[in-house]
């Protein structure tokens, strides 16, 4: 099983790519030149969309992307969430694909919700330099090219499905009724 590379610093080409998502890319670049340790808020929907998952589940998705395929695009962690950068349009398409898979139904209650950020949304992008302090936004896979590969909705759907199957134990028995009275009948007279 191949794990994701641990890249904590954004390359100069990656910085250019991230800045291109901002309304004023040159201002974003100037701000980062002055404060490379500052996180920034960038809009989603034109250069990238973001799929946000709870940290552990998102990490399972990331590991699956690297083990089963071409890897992932940039990935960050922030406030207990894993942010998977995705192709524009993913935020509109992925929810309907998840509904088709009955994501969040009574059978999949243990599977966490995925938040999709697209046009009109913005996300906090970690600082350009790595910082492994707890609770700080940081890159797991930092952008390193001007045109990074970004997974689309179908790729992320199957990464989520595989992660859910690995995380949830399947049982042929329905869950026990928590309010049911249980009697020990093994000692019958």
């Amino acid at each position: 099983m191949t794990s994701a590379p641990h890249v904590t610093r954004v390359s100069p080409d990656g910085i250019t790519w991230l800045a291109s998502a901002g309304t004023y890319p040159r201002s974003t670049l100037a701000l980062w030149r002055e404060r490379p340790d500052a996180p920034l808020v960038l809009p989603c929907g034109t250069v990238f969309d973001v799929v946000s998952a709870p940290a552990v589940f998102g990490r399972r998705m990331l590991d699956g992307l690297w083990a089963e395929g071409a890897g992932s695009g940039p990935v960050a962690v922030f406030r207990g969430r894993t942010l998977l950068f995705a192709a524009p349009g993913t935020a509109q398409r992925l929810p309907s694909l998840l509904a088709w898979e009955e994501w969040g139904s009574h059978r999949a209650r243990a599977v966490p919700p995925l938040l999709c950020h697209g046009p009109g949304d913005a996300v906090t992008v970690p600082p350009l330099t790595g910082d492994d302090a707890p609770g700080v936004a940081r890159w797991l896979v930092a952008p390193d090219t001007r045109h990074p590969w970004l997974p689309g909705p179908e790729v992320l759907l199957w990464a989520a499905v595989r992660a859910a199957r690995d995380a949830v134990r399947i049982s042929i028995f329905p869950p026990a009724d928590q309010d049911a009275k249980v009697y020990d009948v093994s000692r019958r007279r």
Side-chain angles (χ1 to χ4, degrees):
M1 181 170 179
T2 307
S3 65
H6 186 72
V7 179
T8 59
R9 290 190 181 264
V10 182
S11 73
D13 285 342
I15 293 169
T16 302
W17 174 73
L18 281 171
S20 72
T23 307
Y24 303 103
R26 289 191 308 206
S27 296
T28 302
L29 289 171
L31 177 63
W32 267 332
R33 258 186 247 110
E34 287 179 29
R35 300 231 18 238
D37 58 338
L40 236 90
V41 176
L42 291 176
C44 299
T46 55
V47 174
F48 56 78
D49 283 358
V50 172
V51 175
S52 173
V56 173
F57 189 79
R59 186 58 194 237
R60 283 187 187 130
M61 286 177 63
L62 175 62
D63 289 344
L65 286 167
W66 283 94
E68 302 288 331
S72 69
V75 179
V77 291
F78 183 61
R79 293 189 177 170
R81 307 279 304 175
T82 299
L83 307 175
L84 297 128
F85 285 67
T90 298
Q92 287 85 15
R93 182 79 178 118
L94 186 57
S96 62
L97 292 174
L98 292 170
W100 174 73
E101 278 292 320
E102 297 180 1
W103 200 263
S105 70
H106 66 283
R107 287 182 282 164
R109 270 184 277 220
V111 177
L114 299 178
L115 305 176
C116 299
H117 304 284
D121 297 326
V123 294
T124 299
V125 176
L128 302 178
T129 56
D131 186 358
D132 288 335
V136 175
R138 64 184 173 87
W139 292 104
L140 290 178
V141 180
D144 59 356
T145 67
R146 286 183 191 257
H147 303 286
W149 177 77
L150 298 172
E154 295 83 6
V155 172
L156 289 173
L157 168 72
W158 293 113
V161 168
R162 282 191 299 270
R165 287 181 184 152
D166 291 345
V168 177
R169 293 195 175 166
I170 307 292
S171 173
I172 60 171
F173 301 105
D177 182 2
Q178 298 299 325
D179 296 328
K181 293 183 180 175
V182 179
Y183 300 99
D184 182 5
V185 295
S186 62
R187 296 186 205 175
R188 294 182 118 179
R189 293 184 190 185

